[in-house]
Amino acid sequence: MITEHRNISLRPYNTFGIDVNAHLMLEYDNAGDLAEIFATRRPAKFLHIGGGSNLLFTRDYDGLLLHCTARGIETVREDGTSIDIRVEAGKVWDELVAECVAHGWTGAENLSLIPGEVGASAVQNIGAYGAEVKDLIVEVGTFDTTTGQRRTIPVGECGYAYRESRFKHERHLIVTHVTYRLSKTFKPDLSYGHLATMFQGKEDSLTPAALRDAVIAIRRDKLPDPAVTGNAGSFFMNPVVSEEKYKELAAAYPAIPSYKAPGGVKIPAGWLIEQCGWRGRSLGRAAVHSRQALVLVNLGGATADEITRLARAIIDDVKDRFGITLKAEVNFV
Ligand code: EPU
């Protein structure tokens, strides 16, 4: 079924709580509806949204906005050690994680409470606490808006890297479903220091549910709840710099945190922003979260302009001080 909304406020559809309008939004509950939508409407411009947790609407949207409400889960393969589940794009990601934990299907616990939906998990390659969703993905089902064909793409052809995938660039591909492989044997990932500390000496109590609860507790402590304070999680990506650049920085700032990453050294953007004195500061009704400087928040009624101005000021300061240009994680629309 296709539900049509005309001239609606997008405020409930973006976690930043930006109040802009869309001329037309279609919600569909079956991936098969996409063929009909594109064949009959032939939109010149469209945007497919998920939970709206990685978007900054800068103006009213005048194209066709699409949202999938299909949430089905189907087992497509299972043996004694693992299970493959095919999940429709509109399933809320954290509900899926909760269901996996309840069934004893493990591997997704570290990605608990990440806002958004299954479709976006595959587009963004969501990641947290040492885990990335690409490591759970088997294949991604897509609808190609240019050909009207559906195609299943194996994970190796999805172009995955840190917060990166081909779906971020090939916008004509709409993710219709994702097949994930979960393990029936619990192999907890405690590579994130804070998690390791939480379970030190308490290894016996380490179950998938306990790990999920610990991740949820860390997130609730550091990250603002979008239901209360508008935000889109990390506003910037963590920059990866060359070994050479890192050595230069480490000489000037011995306390600089860093992680090895493909192609160089990853520096937490939150640290760079905090060093520039931005943590907890505001500009108009936009602010830098006081517990995590990588997160920009809407103090109430902020416009996208106010948030953009704050983001620019941060980018400029980080560039001036460290010679690193931060890139937004959030998509500007
Ligand atoms: N830090 C500071 N000040 C801050 C924030 C961070 O100094 O205000 C430094 C600290 O040294 C800290 C380090 O940065 O140890 C890393 O911080 P944190 O563990 O909070 O993680 P992050 O690198 O800032 C990334 C993801 C988060 C994810 C966490 C945990 C990106 C862009 N963000 O943040 O993802 O939850 O790791 O794994 O990679 C999101 O994408 O929306 C998101 C929240």
Side-chain angles (χ1 to χ4, degrees):
M1 197 175 78
I2 303 169
T3 312
E4 190 169 312
H5 309 271
R6 283 192 180 272
N7 299 320
I8 55 157
S9 164
L10 293 179
R11 198 167 163 178
Y13 293 94
N14 74 100
T15 59
F16 246 127
I18 302 293
D19 197 8
V20 294
N21 292 323
H23 158 73
L24 176 62
M25 175 159 98
L26 299 179
E27 289 193 289
Y28 61 94
D29 63 4
N30 185 325
D33 295 336
L34 285 170
E36 184 193 324
I37 291 171
F38 280 85
T40 57
R41 303 196 183 239
R42 302 181 178 279
K45 178 177 168 187
F46 74 91
L47 173 71
H48 199 292
I49 60 168
S53 51
N54 213 33
L55 290 176
L56 181 62
F57 284 111
T58 57
R59 57 176 70 90
D60 286 346
Y61 189 70
D62 60 358
L64 169 64
L65 210 59
L66 291 166
H67 183 231
C68 172
T69 57
R71 294 179 180 151
I73 302 181
E74 190 192 337
T75 299
V76 290
R77 190 205 59 85
E78 183 170 13
D79 62 21
T81 58
S82 65
I83 184 166
D84 290 1
I85 52 170
R86 182 186 185 275
V87 188
E88 290 179 297
K91 177 79 181 168
V92 171
W93 168 258
D94 190 54
E95 287 176 7
L96 176 65
V97 178
E99 286 167 36
C100 288
V101 168
H103 282 104
W105 306 334
T106 79
E109 303 79 27
N110 293 38
L111 304 176
S112 291
L113 211 64
I114 293 183
E117 296 170 0
V118 156
S121 78
V123 176
Q124 309 291 345
N125 183 24
I126 55 172
Y129 312 110
E132 282 188 326
V133 80
K134 73 173 172 56
D135 297 322
L136 300 175
I137 292 177
V138 177
E139 58 189 26
V140 177
T142 62
F143 173 79
D144 186 333
T145 60
T146 51
T147 62
Q149 301 295 307
R150 290 178 70 173
R151 186 156 78 91
T152 301
I153 302 179
V155 66
E157 293 171 27
C158 293
Y160 283 130
Y162 167 63
R163 297 291 197 277
E164 177 63 332
S165 79
R166 67 186 284 182
F167 310 114
K168 280 191 159 184
H169 311 285
E170 295 178 51
R171 287 293 180 181
H172 62 286
L173 296 177
I174 293 177
V175 174
T176 54
H177 67 266
V178 183
T179 301
Y180 305 98
R181 179 163 301 164
L182 285 312
S183 172
K184 294 185 180 177
T185 321
F186 183 41
K187 296 184 212 89
D189 177 352
L190 298 182
S191 55
Y192 185 80
H194 197 153
L195 276 178
T197 329
M198 282 170 96
F199 287 103
Q200 208 158 33
K202 298 183 204 150
E203 287 77 8
D204 291 351
S205 65
L206 182 48
T207 61
L211 182 52
R212 170 170 163 78
D213 288 348
V215 167
I216 289 174
I218 296 176
R219 288 190 76 95
R220 291 214 166 115
D221 180 47
K222 284 194 184 179
L223 302 169
D225 177 356
V228 180
T229 308
N231 77 92
S234 302
F235 194 91
F236 301 102
M237 288 196 261
N238 285 330
V240 175
V241 301
S242 66
E243 284 283 350
E244 213 177 14
K245 172 75 183 170
Y246 170 69
K247 279 188 192 138
E248 226 176 78
L249 289 167
Y253 305 94
I256 193 168
S258 64
Y259 315 94
K260 279 233 157 302
V265 181
K266 197 187 271 183
I267 313 282
W271 185 87
L272 299 169
I273 298 167
E274 181 172 346
Q275 295 306 302
C276 293
W278 276 108
R279 184 149 75 96
R281 267 178 67 193
S282 57
L283 207 57
R285 290 167 293 180
V288 179
H289 188 50
S290 56
R291 313 262 312 143
Q292 200 347 332
L294 196 47
V295 179
L296 304 193
V297 298
N298 178 349
L299 294 175
T303 60
D305 264 2
E306 284 174 286
I307 291 164
T308 307
R309 242 186 304 134
L310 174 60
R312 287 234 173 85
I314 291 171
I315 291 171
D316 289 348
D317 281 3
V318 169
K319 173 81 180 155
D320 283 352
R321 175 131 180 217
F322 298 102
I324 295 175
T325 305
L326 293 182
K327 289 211 180 84
E329 230 251 274
V330 165
N331 297 310
F332 288 67
V333 180

